[in-house]
Amino acid sequence: RSGSEGNASEAMISARMRMRKAVAALGDQFAGPVIDICCFLKGLEHVERERGWKQRTARHVLAQGLARLAKHDPRATKRIAR
């Protein structure tokens, strides 16, 4: 195994661990919608239709989920603000 393969594997494992911790910090209520919107790039209206939510509910859920993520990793908000 070459050095670059080892580094890539370590980076993948590290990223997977960070993702698991972030999902755990979101909790069951927020993880699904935040992942749908931020990772799968589903629109807010699409998520609302899928989940049978009232209009603008996804926006509030996303805001609350992102606030939880900011508490989980305050460094992330500094990286985004740049």
Side-chain angles (χ1 to χ4, degrees):
R1 199 170 178 176
S2 72
S4 63
E5 287 176 2
N7 290 340
S9 295
E10 290 172 20
M12 289 170 45
I13 291 168
S14 178
R16 195 171 282 145
M17 288 174 54
R18 287 191 310 274
M19 183 68 174
R20 284 188 181 139
K21 289 178 182 178
V23 168
L26 283 168
D28 294 337
Q29 184 179 7
F30 298 108
V34 170
I35 290 170
D36 282 348
I37 295 164
C38 296
C39 298
F40 295 121
L41 304 178
K42 292 183 180 180
L44 297 174
E45 297 85 7
H46 182 86
V47 171
E48 289 166 349
R49 279 193 306 273
E50 279 186 339
R51 295 170 183 271
W53 290 349
K54 293 181 183 178
Q55 202 173 21
R56 290 186 276 294
T57 301
R59 180 180 301 173
H60 296 293
V61 170
L62 178 61
Q64 291 174 335
L66 293 176
R68 280 190 177 204
L69 281 178
K71 285 181 183 177
H72 165 70
D73 186 1
R75 298 171 299 155
T77 56
K78 291 178 185 174
R79 288 192 297 262
I80 293 169
R82 288 185 193 170

